[in-house]
Amino acid sequence: MPGWKSGRTLRKALVAAAVLVPLIPTAAYAAPSEISAFDAVNQFIGTELDTTQNKSNDAYGNTYPGAAVPFGMVQPSPTTWAEGNANVGQKGGYEYTASLIRGFGMTRHSGTGCTGRFGGYEFPTIPYAGELTGGVLPSSPASTIKNYYLPFSHANEASQPGYYGVRLDNGVEAELTATARTAVSRFDFPKSGDSTLILDVSGPNNRTFGSEVTIDPATRTVSGWMYGTDVCDVGNLYKAYFSTTYDHAFASFGTWTDEEMTAGSAHAVKSTTDTGVDYRHDTGAWITFQQGAKVVAKTGFSYISVANAALNRDTEVGTDGFNDVKHDARKLWKDALGTVDADGGTTEQRTKFYTALYHSFLHPNVREDVNGQYLGFDDQVHAVAKGRHFYKNINFAGSGWDAYRSQVQLLALTFPQVANDINRSIVALTQQRGSWAPGAARMQGDNYQVILATLDDMGATDYDRAAALASMKATQTLPATKTSRSDGYQYFSTGLIENAKGDFATSRVLEYAIDDFAIAQLAARLGDTEAYDYFAGRSQNWMNVFDPVSRHIMPRSRSGFDRGFDLRVREDSAGRGQFNQSTGHQYGWLVPHNLSTLITARGGVAASTAALDTLMERLDAGAYTQTGNYLSNQPAFGTPWIYNWLRAPAKGTDVLYRAVSEMYDTTPSGLPGNDDQGALSAWYVFANIGLYPAVYGTGDLMISGPMFDKITINPYNTPSRKIKINAAGTSTGARYVDGLRVNGKAQTASWIDSTFLTEGGTLDFTMKSTAGTWGTGAADVPPSYTDGSDARNNAGTTPDGQGNLGSLDLSDWSLSRTSLAAAGVTPGATVPGTAFTWPDAAPGKPDNWLPHGQKVTVSASSQGGSLSFLGLSTNGPATGTAVVTYTDGSTQDVPLTLSDWAAGPATGETAAVTLSGRNNVNGTAGTGTFRIFASQPAALDAAKTVASVTLPQSTDKGIMHIFDVAVS
């Protein structure tokens, strides 16, 4: 979209005096309104921290007012400062309660956390109207930058999409607008006093390790670069360049380096390769103009070079004036906001809705310059194909953890070409880095795999799909040397991550299972059955951390479930952090691809409904000793739509109506949590349109009651995918779906699949003010993907010297395939002296079951006989109960105990295989004797034939491993 060619608007430009007005007070929002989408956007929503809440994350959007175009590279904007509590006033962004502006910088990450370590805000400019002494500033900004901060009042601010303006207390009127890669600023100095711009070249939000500035008075140009660290300061380093031209000649100029200020100096530099330092504010420049000047600055930005920054500026802006650029930005935003046309609603409703839509389109950001060059993930210069864009900032801190649950799906609905280019950019990442991590990530999971697979199912298939799947298969398998998933080796081997690993081990299992589900879905679409089966099996690894005794997702150790863990907290008093930014109660529902199985495991529809009702008693309680929900944070995003699986979609609608009214408003604190580059705002948009992409990795959309009478989704430049949503009566209180026609055909199912999205169509709702029976039938629930539920899930045998191809226990030890072969135990063959067949599994692939209730089909040649299991326990012995199902439907419980692999056989047990030594992940071998047991045979009903055996749902301690089941 940043490359759009837009004609000039014919509307007369608004002068600064006309737009510098106070915000509309909240009390004005009452009656129905037809305020336009563009005028409804209020950039100040989400800029004030609600200090009365302590939810574990910031209780506000952390958004900003500023100038940007959709998906643009630059976001010129103010950053504020307030003395006092740094966790409030000095967060590094724009805090509404602050009374000082630090300056006007170039880029912003909208809605991120990481207090004090925000990214962006490169090359801030500070308009200074005070006097210079001897041609230099009164004091060096290197040590006294706060002396130059700018007092201001909100009464003198104004913003609209693509524009920000403020009349500062020093008399300067500052205005900002932008193209995709160029910031255009206008500074109108008072008639009396000096007119100086301070260029804090080394003054971004995060640490810097170097910067340089060069002044060319002959061409009225200032240029330079900075080198520093990005958002959250987790190790992602970058270099940015700028080139600014001014429309007024310089009356004087100078530079500073540390405390030394030099009038007339045209160059300053300070740099190091030591990334442990912080050179913020140490280098910069000032330029002065004639008294009372009204200066327009055009600043090109680039991640490649100063020359490219200048090229961006000259190509995108050229001779255009400030108002020309502002009106072009206005046109781009009108087109973008027009992709979702909501009819009706009060001014308050429309303001919340279109502000959320606006925030959803600020990221991701184009990274290529106008000549197509971009700095790739390998730090080499590449060129994007003509007509395409290379995107970065697909969710901050490099993980996609927030974006995969809402934002990218909204982009697929509204900007299909952006979605395609996101997938192209992700493939470029895998080719340039050989991994799925664009850098150091603060959050867990290879969530770019979910993003790509989800967008693919929503129609974004114009990329190298085969290359994407090949990379997934190459990086997300044992020996786990190329994966970016922390503890990937243990997860790939055993299907779980033990609680002792910490670092939110239990929630990582859930996140990784979603990643694997997404890979499986892409594999299925591409016809790769083998990959589908493998990753579908891994997608059910959530069952390894589901405790059937407590009926909750629970931390698990090598000796059993930690049933003493307090699920109300994200981390218990012993420091054993298990759930990332949420509680166990909130994460306990994060199995979006197999909710029906989870619901059954939790005790069925009635018990699960009661538990979900308890969660929803408080919608945004946070993650500190809570049983309530945390809807302003990503892991809980899908919870309202779980009611669709519980055959109670009206309850989900009630929750959503509560959320949009209780949690969101039009004040500066009106966003309940960090927007995380648009994820929370995109969630709000979905809640309003009555659709939500709850099954991550697919384009399946859950249905709830739309909140406007009529909504039209007009995908940009893709009229064939237009979606019309008609829900007459909603505005007068009819919130519940009583009937639905999809393209004219009646439907009671409470979901629609991706084919509707890719082909477009019409949803005609019948709405009522009281809940009815629509969507409550057993056949109406959304799909649950159960494939892989019964698959083997542990790779417990490895070739000698290759212990990183599996792990039988959680201590990184495995059985030797070489020793097994020497004992006559080979894949697909009968285990000598037994009726068991050894699993036909290649190295690195699952060869045994960690039991969680898998159903195993058993071949029995005759009636009667007995049942035995081939297996062992680690940290055992382990005991559970298997269930035999006969062909007549009757069942029989079979107690099962398997001894520890390092112990001798128990009474009734036999050592089917005895081995010397075992393999370690580091490639070495250990000593000792280890056994695989045939369990004590259990007598079966002689008059019946066995159809299947269900493995134990759980064991009392340790981890049980079953290689085969035999009836004899």
Side-chain angles (χ1 to χ4, degrees):
M1 182 173 177
W4 290 355
K5 298 292 184 182
S6 60
R8 297 271 183 255
T9 178
L10 298 178
R11 293 193 176 110
K12 186 175 181 181
L14 293 173
V15 296
V19 296
L20 294 174
V21 294
L23 298 176
I24 300 172
T26 305
Y29 299 122
S33 167
E34 280 302 323
I35 185 173
S36 72
F38 181 89
D39 292 331
V41 174
N42 182 345
Q43 292 190 48
F44 294 94
I45 293 175
T47 60
E48 181 179 351
L49 175 66
D50 184 350
T51 57
T52 66
Q53 298 188 57
N54 181 25
K55 299 187 296 188
S56 82
N57 280 6
D58 294 329
Y60 84 125
N62 212 338
T63 56
Y64 65 91
V69 297
F71 318 117
M73 183 184 291
V74 299
Q75 302 82 30
S77 54
T79 290
T80 58
W81 179 269
E83 296 291 350
N85 185 350
N87 286 330
V88 178
Q90 301 169 22
K91 299 185 75 66
Y94 181 99
E95 165 54 41
Y96 195 80
T97 59
S99 60
L100 295 172
I101 290 177
R102 288 168 45 193
F104 304 97
M106 286 292 293
T107 74
R108 291 293 297 271
H109 295 279
S110 179
T112 58
C114 295
T115 297
R117 295 177 291 142
F118 290 79
Y121 188 62
E122 297 89 355
F123 315 123
T125 295
I126 303 172
Y128 176 65
E131 295 184 1
L132 273 64
T133 304
V136 301
L137 297 170
S139 60
S140 172
S143 57
T144 61
I145 189 66
K146 293 181 184 178
N147 293 349
Y148 300 100
Y149 290 171
L150 305 161
F152 77 108
S153 168
H154 293 304
N156 296 321
E157 280 186 303
S159 70
Q160 59 185 221
Y163 172 84
Y164 171 84
V166 60
R167 183 183 296 114
L168 300 161
D169 288 4
N170 65 4
V172 178
E173 288 187 1
E175 297 177 275
L176 313 173
T177 190
T179 64
R181 304 165 184 85
T182 303
V184 180
S185 311
R186 184 161 60 190
F187 302 101
D188 190 356
F189 288 89
K191 301 306 177 184
S192 60
D194 286 350
S195 303
T196 301
L197 292 177
I198 299 173
L199 310 178
D200 190 7
V201 178
S202 59
N205 279 332
N206 229 324
R207 294 184 303 121
T208 62
F209 322 125
S211 63
E212 182 177 18
V213 60
T214 301
I215 302 172
D216 184 355
T219 60
R220 305 191 302 275
T221 301
V222 179
S223 60
W225 55 265
M226 59 75 58
Y227 172 50
T229 183
D230 207 350
V231 61
C232 293
D233 198 1
V234 293
N236 299 315
L237 311 180
Y238 73 106
K239 202 170 185 178
Y241 303 82
F242 77 98
S243 178
T244 306
T245 58
Y246 300 86
D247 66 346
H248 282 57
F250 305 157
S252 65
F253 55 86
T255 65
W256 79 83
T257 302
D258 297 326
E259 295 303 306
E260 183 178 355
M261 297 184 292
T262 307
S265 169
H267 179 261
V269 61
K270 182 179 181 181
S271 184
T272 181
T273 58
D274 180 2
T275 57
V277 303
D278 188 359
Y279 286 172
R280 267 180 291 188
H281 312 300
D282 286 357
T283 311
W286 67 88
I287 50 178
T288 63
F289 306 91
Q290 77 267 24
Q291 194 175 59
K294 188 175 185 177
V295 180
V296 174
K298 301 175 181 179
T299 303
F301 190 87
S302 170
Y303 293 98
I304 300 288
S305 65
V306 168
N308 274 19
L311 180 64
N312 289 340
R313 178 197 64 227
D314 295 342
T315 303
E316 291 187 334
V317 178
T319 60
D320 288 355
F322 181 91
N323 286 337
D324 295 326
V325 176
K326 175 187 173 185
H327 287 167
D328 278 354
R330 180 186 182 95
K331 173 63 167 57
L332 291 175
W333 276 114
K334 284 190 170 184
D335 289 346
L337 297 170
T339 58
V340 184
D341 182 9
D343 186 28
T346 65
T347 298
E348 180 181 18
Q349 287 175 301
R350 295 180 65 80
T351 297
K352 291 193 293 184
F353 182 79
Y354 280 108
T355 301
L357 193 64
Y358 166 82
H359 284 142
S360 301
F361 294 157
L362 290 172
H363 298 286
N365 307 106
V366 294
R367 203 70 164 201
E368 85 280 357
D369 295 324
V370 292
N371 60 7
Q373 291 183 334
Y374 70 90
L375 191 68
F377 295 99
D378 55 359
D379 292 328
Q380 301 298 310
V381 176
H382 299 266
V384 71
K386 186 176 182 180
R388 299 290 181 176
H389 291 300
F390 177 75
Y391 286 104
K392 274 196 172 182
N393 295 341
I394 309 169
N395 202 218
F396 83 101
S399 70
W401 191 82
D402 307 276
Y404 88 77
R405 307 169 207 256
S406 57
Q407 189 200 16
V408 296
Q409 294 93 328
L410 182 59
L411 298 183
L413 284 176
T414 53
F415 288 95
Q417 189 55 58
V418 172
N420 271 307
D421 283 345
I422 288 174
N423 274 0
R424 284 174 166 249
S425 300
I426 292 174
V427 172
L429 156 69
T430 67
Q431 294 169 339
Q432 293 164 9
R433 284 183 63 96
S435 76
W436 285 78
R442 185 168 179 265
M443 312 304 287
Q444 289 96 2
D446 273 343
N447 305 135
Y448 276 24
Q449 294 153 19
V450 188
I451 289 173
L452 182 140
T454 302
L455 295 180
D456 181 276
D457 200 35
M458 299 181 79
T461 58
D462 187 13
Y463 69 100
D464 194 336
R465 303 170 82 198
L469 180 60
S471 177
M472 292 173 182
K473 292 163 60 178
T475 59
Q476 306 311 314
T477 53
L478 291 167
T481 54
K482 296 181 179 179
T483 185
S484 50
R485 304 187 198 182
S486 54
D487 295 308
Y489 162 72
Q490 186 175 85
Y491 173 81
F492 293 165
S493 298
T494 69
L496 61 92
I497 302 172
E498 62 177 324
N499 59 353
K501 294 287 188 182
D503 193 25
F504 315 114
T506 306
S507 64
R508 276 190 286 145
V509 175
L510 304 180
E511 296 283 358
Y512 294 171
I514 293 172
D515 298 341
D516 291 333
F517 171 76
I519 298 173
Q521 294 304 299
L522 181 65
R525 291 173 214 142
L526 297 183
D528 191 333
T529 303
E530 182 180 357
Y532 173 76
D533 290 342
Y534 175 69
F535 287 103
R538 281 212 335 222
S539 75
Q540 308 300 345
N541 280 343
W542 65 272
M543 297 181 182
N544 292 330
V545 290
F546 182 86
D547 174 24
V549 174
S550 64
R551 291 185 170 177
H552 283 287
I553 300 290
M554 276 287 185
R556 187 173 182 179
S557 74
R558 58 189 62 181
S559 59
F561 284 98
D562 182 5
R563 296 185 180 120
F565 187 89
D566 187 349
L567 290 174
R568 298 175 304 159
V569 299
R570 60 190 289 188
E571 180 170 333
D572 71 2
S573 59
R576 298 173 293 179
Q578 294 298 312
F579 297 99
N580 197 353
Q581 293 193 359
S582 293
T583 68
H585 288 295
Q586 295 150 7
Y587 252 111
W589 299 95
L590 192 66
V591 187
H593 52 287
N594 196 359
L595 275 165
S596 290
T597 299
L598 175 68
I599 288 166
T600 298
R602 293 188 66 134
V605 170
S608 296
T609 301
L612 192 60
D613 288 347
T614 298
L615 188 76
M616 297 299 183
E617 288 175 359
R618 294 183 64 192
L619 296 184
D620 205 31
Y624 290 136
T625 319
Q626 301 291 341
T627 58
N629 211 348
Y630 195 1
L631 269 179
S632 65
N633 207 31
Q634 285 71 21
F637 271 12
T639 53
W641 289 274
I642 293 174
Y643 283 112
N644 289 31
W645 278 268
L646 294 171
R647 301 165 59 180
K651 283 197 168 192
T653 292
D654 285 338
V655 167
L656 293 169
Y657 267 84
R658 283 177 57 203
V660 300
S661 61
E662 294 176 15
M663 294 169 55
Y664 296 81
D665 60 47
T666 58
T667 68
S669 61
L671 265 179
N674 287 161
D675 204 25
D676 291 320
Q677 299 191 206
L680 187 58
S681 287
W683 182 94
Y684 184 88
V685 172
F686 277 119
N688 275 257
I689 66 177
L691 302 171
Y692 180 70
V695 185
Y696 313 128
T698 76
D700 299 343
L701 289 179
M702 307 306 108
I703 295 171
S704 56
M707 298 184 183
F708 291 89
D709 284 348
K710 184 177 180 181
I711 302 165
T712 304
I713 300 173
N714 303 289
Y716 182 75
N717 271 351
T718 318
S720 62
R721 293 179 58 173
K722 178 182 289 188
I723 295 174
K724 296 181 179 179
I725 302 171
N726 300 312
T730 298
S731 61
T732 56
R735 67 168 63 176
Y736 301 106
V737 179
D738 195 59
L740 172 64
R741 288 187 173 273
V742 180
N743 291 330
K745 184 178 180 180
Q747 171 180 311
T748 58
S750 61
W751 67 287
I752 51 178
D753 66 20
S754 61
T755 56
F756 178 82
L757 312 179
T758 56
E759 297 172 2
T762 302
L763 301 176
D764 290 308
F765 287 88
T766 300
M767 307 298 293
K768 282 194 174 181
S769 58
T770 56
T773 60
W774 181 88
T776 62
D780 296 336
V781 302
S784 291
Y785 296 81
T786 60
D787 284 359
S789 297
D790 297 326
R792 288 181 171 90
N793 56 357
N794 174 222
T797 64
T798 62
D800 288 356
Q802 294 179 276
N804 58 1
L805 288 180
S807 175
L808 194 68
D809 67 356
L810 297 176
S811 301
D812 304 336
W813 293 98
S814 56
L815 292 172
S816 165
R817 292 172 75 98
T818 308
S819 297
L820 284 166
V825 181
T826 57
T830 299
V831 177
T834 75
F836 298 109
T837 300
W838 191 251
D840 189 9
K845 296 300 175 66
D847 50 31
N848 69 91
W849 289 282
L850 272 64
H852 54 58
Q854 297 96 324
K855 182 179 179 180
V856 181
T857 301
V858 175
S859 297
S861 59
S862 62
Q863 295 176 327
S866 60
L867 174 68
S868 183
F869 298 83
L870 181 69
L872 55 86
S873 293
T874 54
N875 293 96
T879 297
T881 301
V883 179
V884 172
T885 300
Y886 295 103
T887 54
D888 64 0
S890 62
T891 62
Q892 175 184 338
D893 287 351
V894 176
L896 170 63
T897 297
L898 289 171
S899 294
D900 188 273
W901 63 332
T907 302
E909 214 175 29
T910 59
V913 183
T914 301
L915 305 172
S916 295
R918 56 183 178 173
N919 291 337
N920 189 267
V921 64
N922 62 16
T924 65
T927 60
T929 300
F930 300 92
R931 297 174 176 86
I932 304 171
F933 304 99
S935 69
Q936 179 175 358
L940 301 179
D941 190 325
K944 297 182 179 181
T945 301
V946 176
S948 65
V949 176
T950 300
L951 303 183
Q953 293 283 347
S954 66
T955 57
D956 62 338
K957 64 178 182 178
I959 298 177
M960 183 180 286
H961 300 260
I962 298 174
F963 290 92
D964 193 27
V965 181
V967 174
S968 62

